[in-house]
Amino acid sequence: MHTRVMLSLSAAALLSLAGCGDGEQSLGPSPSDTEDQAPSQAEGEAGGSAALDSVKEKTQAAMDSASEAGSQAMDAISEAAGIAQDQGATLTDSAKAEAQTLIERAQTYLEENNLDSAEGVMEQLNALKDSASDTLRTEIDQLEEQVDTLREQEDN
């Protein structure tokens, strides 16, 4: 949106500059110009029209180029987003696998009545808990309750 506004303003500036002529500025007609004024006005209008057409063509080319660059940038952004999403899914799968391995390890420790090792694994699971799915969180919470129950039984 901003690019189009800037291009429009640039085009307007170029068109207004083109109306000034080919860099010639004068404060009025010189004495030698008054003799040839009719032919030089016609030549000036033809030159101004050609310059205006040239400016229009260059402006259109610049707008087309900017549009193409914008399109290429959007394609690159879309591709990067797709790659990031794929990598995020891979990381999520990896975290799930790690959490599942830790859950199994904690269950084994609980079956063996190895409460200290189970508590160590539970610390690791609690660190992963925020990024885990609801199902894994439920399993982690259940294991934590088992560890707490066993700890209370051991303390009594």
Side-chain angles (χ1 to χ4, degrees), residues 107-146:
Q107 289 171 338
T108 302
Y109 288 141
L110 289 173
E111 289 170 3
E112 297 172 352
N113 263 350
N114 188 346
L115 195 55
D116 291 333
S117 296
E119 286 177 334
V121 172
M122 288 308 300
E123 288 177 20
Q124 293 174 333
L125 282 169
N126 284 325
L128 294 174
K129 192 175 181 179
D130 290 337
S131 62
S133 67
D134 290 339
T135 305
L136 288 175
R137 278 189 224 148
T138 302
E139 287 185 59
I140 293 169
D141 289 340
Q142 289 171 351
L143 280 173
E144 195 164 14
E145 287 175 17
Q146 289 177 357

Side-chain angles (χ1 to χ4, degrees), residues 36-49:
D36 303 328
Q37 192 167 6
S40 45
Q41 275 184 346
E43 289 173 7
E45 288 176 7
S49 177

Side-chain angles (χ1 to χ4, degrees), residues 36-152:
D36 303 328
Q37 192 167 6
S40 45
Q41 275 184 346
E43 289 173 7
E45 288 176 7
S49 177
L52 185 60
D53 290 342
S54 174
V55 168
K56 285 181 182 178
E57 288 174 14
K58 289 179 182 179
T59 302
Q60 185 62 44
M63 289 173 54
D64 292 344
S65 177
S67 176
E68 178 64 25
S71 176
Q72 288 175 353
M74 289 303 294
D75 291 345
I77 289 170
S78 295
E79 185 178 336
I83 290 170
Q85 186 176 16
D86 291 344
Q87 288 178 346
T90 301
L91 290 175
T92 301
D93 291 343
S94 175
K96 271 188 207 178
E98 182 180 355
Q100 194 61 47
T101 301
L102 290 171
I103 288 171
E104 291 170 5
R105 189 180 303 160
Q107 289 171 338
T108 302
Y109 288 141
L110 289 173
E111 289 170 3
E112 297 172 352
N113 263 350
N114 188 346
L115 195 55
D116 291 333
S117 296
E119 286 177 334
V121 172
M122 288 308 300
E123 288 177 20
Q124 293 174 333
L125 282 169
N126 284 325
L128 294 174
K129 192 175 181 179
D130 290 337
S131 62
S133 67
D134 290 339
T135 305
L136 288 175
R137 278 189 224 148
T138 302
E139 287 185 59
I140 293 169
D141 289 340
Q142 289 171 351
L143 280 173
E144 195 164 14
E145 287 175 17
Q146 289 177 357
V147 169
D148 290 343
T149 301
L150 287 174
R151 181 56 71 188
E152 287 175 14

